[in-house]
Amino acid sequence: MKSRARVVVIGGGIAGCSTLYHLTQEGWSDVVLIERNELTSGTTWHSAAQVTNFGLNQTMVGLKTHSINLYKELSDDPDYPINYHHGDGGIRLANTEEQMQGYRHFASMARGMDVHFEIIDAEECLRRHPLISTDNLLGGLWDPLDGDIDPYQLCQSLIRRARKAGAEVYTDTPVIALKQYENGDWNVHTEKGDIDCDIVVNACGYRVNEVGQMMGVHHPVASMEHQYFLTEDIFAIKQASQRMPLLRCPISDYYCRQEKNGLLIGFYEQNCKTWGMDGIDPSFVNALCPDDIDRVTDVLEGAFARMPVLRKTGIRSIVNGPITYTIDGAPLVGPIPGKRNAYCIIGLRAGLGEGGGHGWLLAQQIVHGEACYDTWCIDPRRFTAHANTELTSLKAIEDYQNEFRFHFPHEHRPAGRPAKTTSLTAVLAAENAEFAVVNGWERVEYIKPSAEFHPSLSFHFDETFDIVADEVKNVRDNVGLCEVNGFNRFEITGPDAYDFLDRMFCKPVNRKPGRVGLGYLLNDSGMVKSEATIANIPASDRGENRIWYGSAAASEFHDMDWLTQHINYNEKVQIKSLTNDQTILLLAGPKSRDVLSACSREDWGKESFPWLSVRECFIGFSAATVMSVSFSGELAYEIHVPNESLYAAYLSLRKAGEAHGMKLFGLRAVESMRMEKGFLSWKADLLTEFDPFETGLDRFVTLDKDNFIGKSALEKRLKKGPRQKLVTLSIDCSYAPAHRGASLMVGNKVVGTITSGEWGHRLNINLAYAFVDSEKAEVGNKMMLNLLGEMIPVKVIDSGPYDSSYSRILA
Ligand SMILES: Cc1cc2nc3c(=O)[nH]c(=O)nc-3n(C[C@H](O)[C@H](O)[C@H](O)COP(=O)(O)OP(=O)(O)OC[C@H]3O[C@@H](n4cnc5c(N)ncnc54)[C@H](O)[C@@H]3O)c2cc1C
């Protein structure tokens, strides 16, 4: 065994094999894979191994397309051909119009990745899958490239190629300890000796947390038992001139594919079961869980009704094995939070289909720092401290029970709630607040007209439309109050703090005490990494000069890693998270100054506290820090309050607001207003796939500044000119917003992709942001939006059409 390697990948299932192979493809050959038993002896060996192209966003569709192309290439290799049924096709069934709407949206989104799904009716489903009944069926989504692959051969083929490129593989070699040296390198201690390496990768499937524990981390991954049956031969299949396509059924929760001359049917029963929560038997290798047919009888009934031939077909064998889930159903592929030089590729629940793509994106992240797609939807740092085993298992059960039921817009499912609350949550619930979940936090979406109000789940505008319109109107005309909990807040101190931040931001950081500035952080490739406000809080009896770095709620672990990993060894900078200690009460509207003046002694006049100021004060008797910043486009104040005095500050503001028509408002109103104002949202409009000029952030970049992260890469990019540009669109349609990912077309050509869409209630326009080909980005340009399958005219308009002179913010 080698004593040193650049990367050690732990785990020889599809995740590890794909990562190893792709590292060699990215040019790193000094890489090693260590497997405790044989390759594929975890979950991979018994996988149903369906390979599908369907995904809920463009990153997932793109990585699955990579898997399909790679597997096809491997299967065609004359030296080591593998069994891959490529292109059997697959149908995702639907029996409600709302499910069909969703499929139309996902088809529009996939078009942007050059993937062509088809929406078909029930008769066409039957024509393509002759074994089904069309009872209670509206139609479905046709995925032409669906198929299945031999998982063992696939892994062998990847390893074969990786070895040829210089990689080494050690099987029957359990990793038993991990130690990190001070310089960030790792020592991987195995039963057969030690290997030192620069980077370690956890690809340990259901044993993820055994290895996690060795490096002192807990990964939010839980395993579920999952069963499929293999049937006896079916005459109609034997006789058929082509293979049966795959089926996915959100009505009765099963999937099905052809296996030899029979069927393989897998079940997602409601009465499902977690696995291995109290530890895993070390001898569970190449093993299965005991069969449990009784558990799936409910689902079986649905499958029988859809495929009557099953009633007279015997079961040949049953497979029941552990399958891993995370909190939101997507895996964790990327840097391990809080660790240097450590990555994971875990929580894969469809790892055979996705594994090729995930290994590809992970290898790019390891070698280049970032992948070709924005990988936030699979980033291990998207969950923060609330993501413990108990919460993960509750979400895993919920997700398993809804396996093929995609989330509708604004759908927040109940399991594991409330995870993060403030002292106001119950108070606001009593005011009929509807809550959305943002990184575990319960945030007010809007105030319901009654406790019984339940809007329908839909891709169209729903019954909340007028409610949100009224909240916006009150902010525009009077004043509104909104709790923003969980907003990410770091306190940065130390003599080198500003020099450090100047290196991190692509524009000089405003150092003036009492002032606030917005800025952007780029990655090494010159792409948009993060957005943050910097508030300079002067020394007071509450502390020394401090910098507050504020960014999106979900960015806490992401931004903390990015910042701390860039502090030079000789720099004196301290970063402390205040995210869980402070909550913002957002006061917005023309009368917000009056409300603030009525409950706080300071002079809030625009001369003494102009836009982009910060000051410490009291709201009633609660210590608070106030910033004059606005995401709504109205005169507004962010009031940051320590959580222990949040309720007291809230009561003071409510009382002061009585004379000014103050009402509560929520996230949905904020979304509408920020889009009217041209403000962007992290990981919706601000993506690592685009540089700041493409994103329209020109005024936030100072290229003649000494140096900043991403500068040289950005300068190189500039020479090539922008590929696409972020634009604002008005949409000629009043029944539905543009949904993220939807495609913009000119003729048959995709020219852009929607990033955000919402009705602008002050301007009465259906608004969207989109990245479009740069030659289409001029104001006035027209194109078509594929909105839920309809072609809708759209026009590029000026960014931030509401109050473009900023007279309302500056009032
Ligand atoms: C019944 C069933 C049907 C499925 N059907 C499909 C399907 O149709 N399509 C699809 O895409 N997915 C399917 N899946 C899911 C898919 O099989 C998994 O997502 C995938 O196999 C996970 O691969 P992995 O590499 O992450 O984990 P594993 O295959 O479990 O590999 C992890 C490896 O790490 C090794 N390891 C663990 N600890 C150590 C250690 N300390 N030292 C060294 N090595 C270690 C293990 O021995 C193991 O080989 C199915 C799963 C099940 C259970």
Side-chain angles (χ1 to χ4, degrees):
M1 216 160 87
K2 273 186 170 184
S3 61
R4 165 133 217 127
R6 199 163 187 185
V7 183
V8 170
V9 178
I10 310 171
I14 179 62
C17 296
S18 172
T19 304
L20 190 78
Y21 164 75
H22 283 100
L23 283 169
T24 64
Q25 291 296 296
E26 295 297 330
W28 285 17
S29 54
D30 182 14
V31 290
V32 161
L33 185 146
I34 301 182
E35 163 57 48
R36 78 197 283 273
N37 307 107
E38 285 304 313
L39 293 178
T40 73
S41 57
T43 289
T44 298
W45 71 275
H46 60 70
S47 177
Q50 297 156 103
V51 180
T52 65
N53 212 169
F54 183 81
L56 300 178
N57 56 53
Q58 291 196 331
T59 298
M60 290 305 286
V61 171
L63 72 88
K64 287 174 139 205
T65 303
H66 177 81
S67 289
I68 291 171
N69 293 337
L70 171 65
Y71 298 174
K72 181 82 180 75
E73 187 203 320
L74 296 176
S75 71
D76 290 341
D77 184 343
D79 291 339
Y80 189 81
I82 60 178
N83 289 326
Y84 177 30
H85 297 119
H86 172 262
D88 285 354
I91 309 174
R92 280 166 200 264
L93 303 173
N95 68 340
T96 69
E97 183 45 43
E98 289 72 26
Q99 285 166 333
M100 293 296 283
Q101 265 178 19
Y103 290 158
R104 288 189 191 100
H105 166 63
F106 296 122
S108 166
M109 176 271 292
R111 232 0 250 288
M113 302 304 282
D114 204 19
V115 169
H116 296 250
F117 296 142
E118 229 182 296
I119 305 303
I120 55 178
D121 63 17
E123 285 312 310
E124 189 58 22
C125 291
L126 173 62
R127 205 185 63 73
R128 297 186 191 195
H129 198 306
L131 296 183
I132 65 168
S133 134
T134 55
D135 288 354
N136 187 28
L137 185 67
L138 261 186
L141 175 138
W142 173 256
D143 185 340
L145 295 182
D146 280 4
D148 68 271
I149 195 157
D150 182 315
Y152 174 79
Q153 290 180 351
L154 169 62
C155 291
Q156 289 295 339
S157 170
L158 291 166
I159 290 296
R160 205 172 150 268
R161 287 190 175 200
R163 275 191 171 127
K164 266 194 181 167
E168 294 194 13
V169 176
Y170 309 122
T171 54
D172 292 314
T173 308
V175 171
I176 47 179
L178 290 165
K179 192 177 80 193
Q180 191 158 27
Y181 299 110
E182 220 148 79
N183 70 354
D185 287 0
W186 287 92
N187 172 267
V188 181
H189 179 50
T190 81
E191 281 186 2
K192 292 188 177 165
D194 285 17
I195 305 186
D196 285 345
C197 60
D198 301 351
I199 290 167
V200 72
V201 178
N202 183 345
C204 287
Y206 51 76
R207 293 192 188 275
V208 48
N209 276 314
E210 293 176 7
V211 173
Q213 212 175 8
M214 295 177 202
M215 59 169 77
V217 297
H218 173 82
H219 297 284
V221 174
S223 298
M224 303 292 299
E225 282 190 23
H226 174 51
Q227 295 184 87
Y228 64 74
F229 302 164
L230 294 162
T231 72
E232 304 283 3
D233 286 358
I234 295 172
F235 182 70
I237 294 183
K238 262 187 179 164
Q239 296 297 306
S241 55
Q242 63 191 57
R243 288 176 53 81
M244 291 296 138
L246 279 63
L247 276 189
R248 259 124 190 74
C249 181
I251 312 157
S252 304
D253 307 299
Y254 62 88
Y255 59 79
C256 174
R257 71 163 171 85
Q258 182 171 339
E259 172 67 20
K260 301 207 170 72
N261 285 322
L263 291 173
L264 178 158
I265 309 169
F267 303 96
Y268 293 100
E269 66 283 4
Q270 293 301 300
N271 181 22
C272 55
K273 213 171 150 189
T274 54
W275 182 85
M277 291 286 290
D278 300 315
I280 301 168
D281 182 345
S283 65
F284 191 89
V285 177
N286 267 320
L288 293 174
C289 312
D291 304 346
D292 191 354
I293 289 204
D294 291 347
R295 231 179 43 229
V296 303
T297 42
D298 55 333
V299 191
L300 207 50
E301 272 309 309
F304 281 2
R306 182 65 62 215
M307 280 176 292
V309 66
L310 289 176
R311 290 193 194 280
K312 32 187 186 135
T313 307
I315 292 171
R316 196 189 346 230
S317 57
I318 301 173
V319 168
N320 185 15
I323 187 166
T324 52
Y325 278 74
T326 64
I327 286 189
D328 62 2
L332 306 173
V333 181
I336 296 176
K339 292 279 159 197
R340 270 175 200 261
N341 305 334
Y343 293 80
C344 59
I345 173 163
I346 52 178
L348 276 70
R349 74 168 195 221
L352 259 296
E354 296 172 4
H358 287 307
W360 176 55
L361 295 182
L362 182 60
Q364 289 178 44
Q365 292 183 64
I366 293 172
V367 173
H368 309 294
E370 208 89 60
C372 57
Y373 305 135
D374 190 294
T375 48
W376 184 242
C377 64
I378 52 172
D379 193 310
R381 298 163 301 191
R382 69 190 185 278
F383 311 117
T384 54
H386 64 295
N388 57 42
T389 316
E390 297 303 330
L391 181 76
T392 307
S393 62
L394 291 174
K395 294 308 280 183
I397 291 168
E398 183 183 61
D399 211 38
Y400 186 94
Q401 291 170 329
N402 288 281
E403 180 74 25
F404 298 126
R405 290 186 211 116
F406 50 78
H407 280 79
F408 280 88
H410 309 299
E411 182 181 5
H412 297 273
R413 291 182 179 158
R417 293 181 65 182
K420 292 179 182 171
T421 58
T422 68
S423 54
L424 290 192
T425 310
V427 177
L428 296 167
E431 303 253 16
N432 278 338
E434 177 67 37
F435 294 94
V437 182
V438 179
N439 184 31
W441 289 96
E442 295 289 333
R443 276 221 191 140
V444 176
E445 254 200 308
Y446 57 89
I447 304 297
K448 297 181 283 191
S450 72
E452 294 73 41
F453 178 79
H454 294 296
S456 35
L457 292 176
S458 170
F459 282 78
H460 286 184
F461 290 121
D462 60 25
E463 300 86 342
T464 59
F465 189 88
D466 291 339
I467 298 169
V468 175
D470 285 348
E471 289 182 5
V472 170
K473 189 165 175 290
N474 196 57
V475 170
R476 182 196 64 195
D477 298 341
N478 297 308
V479 52
L481 182 67
C482 174
E483 185 202 40
V484 183
N485 50 26
F487 189 74
N488 185 40
R489 166 83 50 235
F490 299 148
E491 189 168 274
I492 305 183
T493 50
D496 299 319
Y498 281 112
D499 290 345
F500 161 69
L501 286 173
D502 257 341
R503 210 171 62 243
M504 301 304 295
F505 281 76
C506 58
K507 189 180 171 182
V509 168
N510 186 337
R511 301 180 177 214
K512 225 168 151 195
R515 298 298 291 162
V516 181
L518 179 68
Y520 292 85
L521 298 86
L522 310 184
N523 64 21
D524 294 320
S525 315
M527 306 303 224
V528 178
K529 180 88 178 158
S530 282
E531 176 195 61
T533 50
I534 292 291
N536 302 308
I537 305 177
S540 71
D541 55 0
R542 296 187 201 164
E544 292 304 307
N545 282 331
R546 281 146 290 154
I547 302 165
W548 274 12
Y549 171 108
S551 55
S555 68
E556 185 186 355
F557 283 6
H558 173 275
D559 284 12
M560 184 59 100
D561 279 356
W562 185 248
L563 293 174
T564 51
Q565 292 181 8
H566 281 89
I567 300 174
N568 290 337
Y569 74 98
N570 57 353
E571 271 177 331
K572 291 194 180 65
V573 178
Q574 293 85 41
I575 305 179
K576 182 171 108 187
S577 177
L578 302 180
T579 303
N580 295 330
D581 304 338
Q582 299 259 339
T583 296
I584 299 174
L585 292 170
L586 187 61
L587 197 57
K591 297 181 184 163
S592 54
R593 179 176 289 132
D594 299 332
V595 174
L596 203 49
S597 303
C599 60
S600 168
R601 284 185 199 286
E602 309 291 326
D603 175 359
W604 298 101
K606 72 173 168 186
E607 285 74 28
S608 56
F609 197 69
W611 188 42
L612 299 179
S613 299
V614 56
R615 93 166 26 138
E616 292 176 327
C617 65
F618 288 92
I619 300 294
F621 55 83
S622 311
T625 307
V626 175
M627 297 181 203
S628 48
V629 292
S630 174
F631 203 42
S632 58
E634 304 295 340
L635 178 69
Y637 301 93
E638 271 184 8
I639 303 168
H640 297 248
V641 189
N643 281 341
E644 68 272 16
S645 43
L646 179 62
Y647 183 49
Y650 172 80
L651 289 178
S652 300
L653 284 162
R654 284 307 295 257
K655 192 155 191 320
E658 276 169 13
H660 302 284
M662 188 170 82
K663 289 186 189 163
L664 297 172
F665 69 105
L667 279 183
R668 298 274 281 274
V670 171
E671 184 67 6
S672 165
M673 292 187 280
R674 70 106 185 162
M675 290 205 57
E676 288 179 309
K677 200 66 201 123
F679 295 150
L680 307 182
S681 175
W682 188 64
K683 292 305 173 193
D685 319 305
L686 298 166
L687 302 168
T688 55
E689 286 170 42
F690 298 98
D691 70 38
F693 297 110
E694 291 169 328
T695 313
L697 301 173
D698 308 34
R699 69 185 192 284
F700 294 98
V701 185
T702 307
L703 276 175
D704 56 11
K705 178 181 149 180
D706 255 8
N707 205 3
F708 57 83
I709 290 170
K711 181 179 170 185
S712 56
L714 186 61
E715 281 170 336
K716 271 189 211 136
R717 294 186 57 77
L718 267 181
K719 291 187 189 128
K720 292 189 188 151
R723 301 154 302 162
Q724 291 201 313
K725 295 212 103 182
L726 189 74
V727 296
T728 304
L729 300 168
S730 80
I731 301 167
D732 190 7
C733 154
S734 57
Y735 59 81
H739 296 283
R740 186 167 304 155
S743 290
L744 290 155
M745 314 289 299
V746 170
N748 233 356
K749 185 170 176 258
V750 179
V751 294
T753 302
I754 298 289
T755 58
S756 292
E758 193 51 87
W759 190 270
H761 287 286
R762 290 171 298 193
L763 295 169
N764 228 11
I765 313 180
N766 197 355
L767 283 170
Y769 296 157
F771 279 101
V772 299
D773 293 351
S774 38
E775 67 276 10
K776 303 279 182 250
E778 249 177 56
V779 170
N781 253 331
K782 293 183 179 162
M783 54 202 108
M784 304 300 272
L785 168 67
N786 181 339
L787 179 63
L788 308 173
E790 298 287 320
M791 287 303 188
I792 305 288
V794 302
K795 194 167 84 180
V796 179
I797 61 171
D798 282 319
S799 156
Y802 181 70
D803 185 30
S804 52
S805 65
Y806 276 58
S807 64
R808 298 182 69 90
I809 290 183
L810 297 170

